[in-house]
Amino acid sequence: MKMLRSKFLRDSAKLVSSALLLGGLAVGCGSDASDPEAITLDELKAPGNLWIQDSGNGNATLYWTGSNNEDDFDGYNVYGMNKTKIDLGTTYSEGQAVELLDEAGEPVQAAKVFLADFNYDTTKPFEEPAAAGVDGEEKFSALPVHQKTGEDGIFPTCGVDGGVCKNHSADFARQTVSDNSARGVNGAVSYPVTGLKVGETYCFLVLSSMDEGQKVSMTSTNIACVTPRFKSEFTINVPTAHADKLVFDLHTFLGACTQTGCAIGTNLAVSDLGAAAKGDSPGPLYVEHYEGGTFTPGENTGIRDLGFYATGFMDATLPRSAPALVLDSNKGTTSLAPIINTGGYTPAGRSRALEKNHVYVIAVPEKTATTFTSFYYHYLWVKGDVTAGSDVAVEMRVSKVLNAR
């Protein structure tokens, strides 16, 4: 197949519409990072197993695995965009890899069109595609994350340094494996991302790179998405007596969260419920004394212990998604309701031990809800020792979106 070159695109721009040019771009293999040439796996191995850790307040870290020791390997092209700005779900879906070449080794038009939706640089990350006409070719490009220097971008997105993929810059110049064997990859790679909006969903994929991003692996990682949550760190004073309990007003707490975090304020205060929280106590969540410290969900709320995670939200084995809470259908009609709600959540009025290094999911309905099929799923990690009468350090990821599990 005759390959389309950037000069051809520039010359043709005076004669055809940008829509036709994008169509031409989609079937060709270019000579720059805005229209990269996909090469076979024999020449350049593809990365895989992309997953995203939500660090809170619009920060996230991408993780993937690589096995790249090719002499000309120089890093990775990272593509990302707000999910509302890409055609995800029509041609491609979360969890799917993007194949840039078909079985005959020909470029896949749908893949090139799809990549063109990820069109931005570090001055316009994630929210908006690059504006048409910013420079000679940008309106036709399918650019990954990159640093701009004047009119020229530095590609690929990042080079590997000790397991971290770092943006190229004057202080971290692009090098190939043949230049520096330490730039090779055998295992996990991480790449930090900032500037995301809490409550918005973003999707990412990664391609291996050669020749300053002009040649890329024929297959991407799986597409992975994240909906950032608020981050909050605070302490809970575990009550010393059975008659004392703390009520955690998660409705007010969520309402006070901003892009910079959540202040605990007075949202965790001593309750006057009496002897114990019950299934019809409003909650949403109580901290009680029993057996040194327990969480007790209030009415229409559930809590689930995901288990022990020594590094909490940093743990790669922490489930990416919580199971859905389904309230007991016979609630209020019989005393024989199941001990555990569907989905493994402790039902209202029944306690779950508060344990160090355990991560919990708290499912809370809207404050004004009259039916209880939609919930905010908040994650809480107990970081410190749990002792009655003492403060215990906790960290939360607080959801702004209903049913984002």
Side-chain angles (χ1 to χ4, degrees), residues 19-33:
L20 289 175
L21 278 171
L22 184 57
L25 176 70
V27 298
C29 293
S31 58
D32 60 34

Side-chain angles (χ1 to χ4, degrees), residues 17 35 56 58 63 66 85 92 98 101 190 196 203 237 242 244 270 284 290 318 320 330 342 352 385 394 396:
S17 69
D35 183 18
Y63 293 89
K85 306 294 175 63
Y92 296 98
V98 177
L101 298 180
S190 65
L196 308 180
C203 298
N237 188 271
H242 291 289
D244 294 331
V270 175
Y290 303 106
L318 184 69
R320 308 280 186 267
N330 57 355
T342 303
R352 176 74 77 182
D385 294 320
V394 302
M396 289 190 70

Side-chain angles (χ1 to χ4, degrees), residues 91-105:
T91 306
Y92 296 98
S93 58
E94 186 174 0
Q96 182 179 356
V98 177
E99 301 285 347
L100 299 180
L101 298 180
D102 63 20
E103 294 181 356

Side-chain angles (χ1 to χ4, degrees), residues 155-173:
F155 299 95
T157 299
C158 55
V160 180
D161 182 20
V164 178
C165 208
K166 297 172 58 175
N167 285 337
H168 289 115
S169 65
D171 297 324
F172 186 68

Side-chain angles (χ1 to χ4, degrees), residues 79-95:
Y79 291 80
M81 185 56 72
N82 189 300
K83 188 177 180 181
T84 62
K85 306 294 175 63
I86 57 176
D87 190 21
L88 188 60
T90 302
T91 306
Y92 296 98
S93 58
E94 186 174 0

